[in-house]
Amino acid sequence: MNFSTLLSLVLMLVQLWPCSLSTQNHSAQSTDLSFTAVRRVKRGWVWEPLFATEEQTSMVPVYIGQLKSDLDKQDGNLKYILTGEGAGSTFIIDENNGKIYVTQKLDREKKSFYTLRAQAISRSTQLPVEPESEFIIKVRDINDHEPQFLDGPYVATVPEMSPEGTSVTQVTATDGDDPSYGNSARLLYSLIQGQPYFSVEPKTGVIRMASQMDRETKDQYLVIIQAKDMVGQAGAFSATATVTISLSDINDNPPKFQQRLYHMSVSEEAPVGTTVGKVFAEDSDIGENAAMNYSIEEDSSGVFDIITNNETQEGIILLKKRVDYESKRRYSIRAKVVNRYIDYRFLKEGPFEDKTVVKISVEDADEPPVFTLENYVMEIAEGAMIGSLVGVVTARDPDDDDSPVRYSIVHGMHLKRLFSINEHNGTIITTRPLDREIASWHNITVTATETRNPEKISEANVYIQVLDVNDHAPEFSKYYETFVCENAVSGQLIQSISAVDQDDSAEGHRFYFSLAQEATNNSHFTVKDNQDNTAGIFTAKSGFRRQEQFYFYLPILILDNGNPPLTSTNTLTITVCDCDTEVNTFYCRYGAFMYAMGLSTEVLVAVLACILILLAIRQQRKKSPFSEKMEEFRENIVRYDDEGGGEEDTEAFDISALRTRTVMRTHKPRKKVTTEIHSLYRQSLQVGPDSAIFRQFISEKLEEANTDPTVPPYDSLQTYAFEGTGSLAGSLSSLGSNMSDADQSYDYLTDWGPHFKHLAGMYASHRSAGD
């Protein structure tokens, strides 16, 4: 085995076997590294133990080991040489005996081992007697580092009343010494401050609860933990850390009222919703554990209510109903408070609620008068005499002094003309007769004012119903146009009639129809009551002659069922008509109208012919209107003025002034003639020539002609004729004819009977000649 192999084996043994085999102890602390002397069989090094300990002084070299070859004869012929890391500076060797010394202070935390090479040289030959060999010197650790709490200071939270042994937090210290050798880095934890509430596990640093603690007694603790190396042995280093432990709140305390009895007051004038007062319950808990709800118990009156202010945790007592000093002056209620969130683990300790008594006094105030009723309903018959009693309103001062009250009517001056009130006793009377048909109800407002304090005023509504009195006689429900044909037979129904009554009947109206006394001997017509508020008019004879009598006036008596019953006589006008076998009412109405106007058939035909001629002329003129693109020219326009001088008063005008778009008169769009005529025809079936509808139509056409800006500046004749009522033939006027140039056939006129024979022949001849 050569020197290099032997040296390698020695180094491996040093790595695996840290125990010291040294036969010499040069230092009390040199216990880390040693080399075992290994003697080679034939030739090699003889090693003495080598020691190198950190923190050794460098002032005096310290022996750490020896190199010795088995060829060394102790004659001084061999010379030992040391090379490698720190050789000559940190480590030196005695070249005569191979002893190695350390001359400088070593720090294991900076460099834990050194690699060196040894060689033995013959002094005589200056040649190596052994091959150069490499070896390692390890630096032995000493306890030169204190423990450190790198994460401190610590903060932890644990729920109050946690059971003993509950883990709070863990603290950890570190030590820079070698943890694999000795006890330099072996730490031991202990509690310096925090007993008897907390404890710490010596090896792990886990802090635990040592007893149950109440946050309401103390909510924060400062714990000091110490860490010692060398397992707490003498000469060990130590360090401390602070742990701030807070107790979190749990709901383990019920709310408590500050007072067992509260006194409050409220004015009787206070409106609903007024704050009467506040109650407050304390809860030692915090946050949602202190949240609470207030309620009221034992208040049968229901006058007060309580709500919770979630920000201040106060109970606010509110007025739920109006109070009256004269009715009740004191109230006593019981208020209750309950935790909103309950921790059922602590229910065994008692209910989480509390109660208190609140006494509330009602303060007297000067109140306005009070009516016996908020609304009064009264009745009076229509037509009652002025000064008739309607009813009485009553109000009184609710205060103890009972001030007199003055009454008056407000809201509408027109009501004062119908009613008045006695300001002393509240009696309401009429000042005018009342008519139910004009107004069946009257609503008035009555005020009551204290005479001693006019600012105290109250109001009440009075609804007065006007009761119906049978003061209106029945009458025809509408205007009847009744006709009878000359060839009518006896017993023929010519008209059905009905009646109306402005009075109000609670049982419903019932009308009875009969001939008036003066017509009982009438042998021409009879009246039959249908017993359903209608009646029929029948002929009492056969055959009538228009030449003898054109109209019959039939008085009809109508009786109502009022109390007392009223009657009225209504006259029915019956017109005799010349009818064909089919009793066509058109001929009847046409003939009656002409007879009433005093016109013959020939005159009517002439009027219609004039209307057709005028319309044709007007249409022809409209086909050639003035063109705005024509060359401007001037023309004399004769203006007629009743105040002027007639034709001699003339003045020249620029024709362009007539063409301007600015028209002083308001323009109305022209209506379609055909539509108007058809509308007039439909209306003429119900009205006569003296009807308001007919007069309105004439007025509208006149206004349209006066304000139409498109009409040429000359006077024209507007002619309108009423063509009769109820004509089945329709209109004969050309106003409703087609405005185009298309030919029209009037051969149908020959089918209208002998009365239109002359008109049909004249017009048909005219059309033939035109063709």
Side-chain angles (χ1 to χ4, degrees):
M1 181 181 294
N2 57 24
F3 178 75
S4 299
T5 304
L6 178 62
L7 183 59
S8 298
L9 289 174
V10 171
L11 293 177
M12 290 178 61
L13 290 173
V14 171
Q15 296 281 347
L16 297 175
W17 189 13
C19 297
S20 176
L21 299 178
S22 175
T23 57
Q24 300 181 18
N25 188 2
H26 300 278
S27 173
Q29 294 180 336
S30 300
T31 59
D32 180 54
L33 180 63
S34 65
F35 287 86
T36 302
V38 179
R39 187 176 296 275
R40 199 171 57 171
V41 177
K42 291 184 179 180
R43 203 176 54 158
W45 290 100
V46 176
W47 293 92
E48 294 292 338
L50 300 178
F51 303 96
T53 304
E54 67 172 336
E55 304 294 338
Q56 288 183 338
T57 177
S58 61
M59 297 180 63
V60 178
V62 177
Y63 172 77
I64 61 172
Q66 182 180 12
L67 297 177
K68 187 176 182 181
S69 174
D70 56 358
L71 298 180
D72 190 356
K73 303 298 183 180
Q74 301 292 326
D75 54 3
N77 185 41
L78 289 181
K79 179 181 179 182
Y80 295 95
I81 300 175
L82 185 67
T83 60
E85 293 180 332
S89 57
T90 303
F91 303 101
I92 60 175
I93 190 171
D94 188 336
E95 63 181 11
N96 297 318
N97 55 25
K99 293 182 178 180
I100 301 174
Y101 300 89
V102 61
T103 63
Q104 293 183 1
K105 187 177 182 180
L106 302 179
D107 189 352
R108 187 195 66 82
E109 283 70 39
K110 291 183 179 180
K111 190 170 182 62
S112 59
F113 66 90
Y114 293 84
T115 303
L116 296 100
R117 293 180 296 277
Q119 189 176 29
I121 300 175
S122 175
R123 292 183 184 273
S124 58
T125 64
Q126 296 296 317
L127 294 175
V129 297
E130 294 283 356
E132 186 181 47
S133 179
E134 184 179 89
F135 64 95
I136 295 174
I137 299 178
K138 284 190 175 182
V139 181
R140 174 180 293 169
D141 182 50
I142 64 172
N143 189 21
D144 60 344
H145 287 82
E146 297 178 353
Q148 291 184 336
F149 289 95
L150 300 179
D151 298 328
Y154 296 86
V155 176
T157 302
V158 63
E160 64 172 329
M161 304 304 291
S162 295
E164 184 178 347
T166 301
S167 175
V168 178
T169 187
Q170 183 179 17
V171 296
T172 303
T174 60
D175 196 311
D177 294 321
D178 188 2
S180 63
Y181 174 77
N183 295 323
S184 298
R186 293 181 62 185
L187 304 178
L188 190 68
Y189 298 93
S190 61
L191 196 64
I192 301 299
Q193 177 179 312
Q195 299 91 350
Y197 309 109
F198 302 95
S199 64
V200 63
E201 293 182 355
K203 294 183 179 181
T204 62
V206 175
I207 301 175
R208 297 185 182 275
M209 300 285 290
S211 63
Q212 283 190 332
M213 288 176 287
D214 189 2
R215 187 201 64 83
E216 287 71 36
T217 301
K218 186 177 181 180
D219 61 352
Q220 194 174 80
Y221 295 84
L222 183 64
V223 177
I224 299 178
I225 304 296
Q226 182 186 65
K228 250 185 179 183
D229 58 12
M230 298 294 292
V231 199
Q233 297 175 0
F237 294 108
S238 65
T240 59
T242 59
V243 183
T244 302
I245 301 176
S246 299
L247 299 181
S248 60
D249 185 60
I250 62 174
N251 192 10
D252 58 341
N253 293 278
K256 295 290 183 182
F257 279 107
Q258 290 181 326
Q259 300 174 216
R260 293 292 94 187
L261 177 63
Y262 288 84
H263 291 278
M264 301 177 183
S265 62
V266 60
S267 173
E268 63 176 340
E269 284 187 323
V272 173
T274 299
T275 298
V276 179
K278 299 178 181 179
V279 296
F280 180 68
E282 290 182 331
D283 194 322
S284 300
D285 298 319
I286 59 175
E288 68 175 16
N289 293 324
M292 59 191 75
N293 292 326
Y294 294 87
S295 60
I296 289 181
E297 291 186 341
E298 301 180 12
D299 180 22
S300 58
S301 63
V303 176
F304 302 97
D305 194 7
I306 190 170
I307 61 175
T308 303
N309 187 327
N310 293 323
E311 294 183 359
T312 63
Q313 295 300 313
E314 293 177 315
I316 303 174
I317 298 178
L318 304 176
L319 188 63
K320 191 176 180 181
K321 295 181 181 179
R322 294 290 296 268
V323 293
D324 185 13
Y325 175 82
E326 288 71 29
S327 300
K328 190 173 182 179
R329 302 185 180 184
R330 280 175 292 276
Y331 293 87
S332 179
I333 62 175
R334 186 179 296 272
K336 178 181 177 181
V337 62
V338 181
N339 267 141
R340 190 174 301 167
Y341 306 103
I342 304 296
D343 192 334
Y344 295 97
R345 295 177 298 173
F346 302 97
L347 283 179
K348 59 184 178 181
E349 299 181 6
F352 281 72
E353 62 182 42
D354 195 17
K355 298 179 182 180
T356 188
V357 176
V358 182
K359 293 187 178 295
I360 303 174
S361 300
V362 180
E363 297 177 348
D364 188 23
D366 188 6
E367 300 176 271
V370 178
F371 282 95
T372 56
L373 297 174
E374 293 184 2
N375 300 302
Y376 292 84
V377 179
M378 303 177 181
E379 297 178 346
I380 186 172
E382 65 173 329
M385 297 178 57
I386 297 176
S388 297
L389 175 65
V390 179
V392 179
V393 296
T394 305
R396 59 174 295 273
D397 183 9
D399 300 318
D400 291 339
D401 56 359
D402 195 12
S403 173
V405 175
R406 183 176 65 253
Y407 302 93
S408 62
I409 296 177
V410 295
H411 297 172
M413 294 300 296
H414 67 286
L415 296 176
K416 291 187 177 181
R417 293 196 297 267
L418 298 177
F419 306 96
S420 66
I421 189 170
N422 188 305
E423 66 175 7
H424 300 293
N425 57 25
T427 300
I428 300 175
I429 61 174
T430 61
T431 57
R432 283 192 175 188
L434 303 177
D435 188 352
R436 188 202 65 83
E437 284 69 39
I438 296 177
S440 60
W441 284 89
H442 297 278
N443 303 333
I444 63 175
T445 301
V446 176
T447 62
T449 307
E450 286 188 15
T451 56
R452 297 175 186 173
N453 187 0
E455 294 182 356
K456 301 300 179 179
I457 303 175
S458 297
E459 293 183 353
N461 295 320
V462 180
Y463 304 98
I464 302 173
Q465 182 181 15
V466 182
L467 301 178
D468 184 50
V469 174
N470 193 23
D471 57 348
H472 288 81
E475 58 185 3
F476 282 151
S477 60
K478 64 178 181 178
Y479 173 76
Y480 292 101
E481 289 183 298
T482 307
F483 305 97
V484 62
C485 293
E486 289 181 313
N487 55 357
V489 298
S490 178
Q492 181 177 339
L493 176 65
I494 62 173
Q495 184 69 59
S496 293
I497 59 175
S498 61
V500 293
D501 194 330
Q502 296 184 31
D503 294 319
D504 185 18
S505 175
E507 300 177 356
H509 288 292
R510 179 71 176 89
F511 301 115
Y512 305 92
F513 301 88
S514 63
L515 286 176
Q517 183 66 33
E518 61 270 22
T520 53
N521 297 326
N522 192 317
S523 60
H524 300 292
F525 305 96
T526 60
V527 176
K528 180 182 178 181
D529 194 331
N530 297 327
Q531 302 298 318
D532 60 355
N533 290 343
T534 64
I537 309 300
F538 294 86
T539 56
K541 71 170 189 174
S542 298
F544 293 86
R545 292 183 58 80
R546 187 171 50 166
Q547 290 78 7
E548 295 179 359
Q549 186 173 353
F550 196 81
Y551 291 108
F552 289 92
Y553 300 98
L554 187 65
I556 299 176
L557 182 68
I558 306 177
L559 173 68
D560 63 16
N561 61 335
N563 187 17
L566 294 181
T567 61
S568 66
T569 301
N570 295 262
T571 302
L572 187 67
T573 302
I574 303 174
T575 305
V576 180
C577 303
D578 183 12
C579 304
D580 55 13
T581 57
E582 297 179 357
V583 194
N584 196 321
T585 58
F586 169 77
Y587 299 107
C588 182
R589 293 187 179 185
Y590 169 75
F593 173 71
M594 294 303 297
Y595 181 84
M597 297 294 293
L599 300 176
S600 64
T601 303
E602 291 76 5
V603 174
L604 177 62
V605 172
V607 171
L608 292 176
C610 292
I611 292 175
L612 292 174
I613 294 173
L614 290 174
L615 290 176
I617 295 175
R618 184 171 182 176
Q619 182 177 3
Q620 183 65 29
R621 290 182 176 180
K622 286 185 178 180
K623 291 183 178 180
S624 56
F626 293 103
S627 175
E628 294 185 1
K629 296 183 179 180
M630 293 177 59
E631 182 180 0
E632 297 292 333
F633 62 91
R634 296 179 60 85
E635 180 177 317
N636 286 339
I637 299 178
V638 179
R639 182 180 66 185
Y640 293 90
D641 194 337
D642 291 342
E643 300 180 0
E647 295 184 0
E648 297 179 356
D649 187 5
T650 61
E651 185 177 356
F653 289 89
D654 190 349
I655 194 63
S656 62
L658 297 177
R659 301 175 189 163
T660 179
R661 296 178 180 267
T662 304
V663 182
M664 296 302 294
R665 295 175 298 179
T666 303
H667 174 67
K668 292 185 177 180
R670 297 182 64 88
K671 300 180 181 179
K672 190 175 180 180
V673 178
T674 304
T675 304
E676 294 177 346
I677 295 303
H678 281 256
S679 175
L680 177 62
Y681 168 68
R682 287 192 298 268
Q683 297 175 6
S684 68
L685 297 179
Q686 290 83 27
V687 301
D690 56 347
S691 170
I693 296 177
F694 190 82
R695 290 196 299 272
Q696 180 182 359
F697 175 78
I698 297 297
S699 301
E700 291 180 356
K701 300 305 294 183
L702 180 60
E703 178 67 19
E704 180 180 339
N706 290 336
T707 59
D708 189 354
T710 62
V711 175
Y714 55 81
D715 293 337
S716 62
L717 176 63
Q718 301 285 342
T719 304
Y720 301 95
F722 189 83
E723 61 182 83
T725 59
S727 174
L728 297 179
S731 174
L732 298 179
S733 172
S734 62
L735 293 176
S737 62
N738 194 338
M739 300 302 295
S740 66
D741 295 334
D743 293 336
Q744 298 186 19
S745 175
Y746 295 91
D747 295 336
Y748 56 86
L749 294 176
T750 59
D751 299 331
W752 286 6
H755 295 286
F756 293 91
K757 181 178 180 181
H758 181 73
L759 179 63
M762 180 183 67
Y763 197 74
S765 300
H766 172 72
R767 296 295 296 172
S768 300
D771 292 340

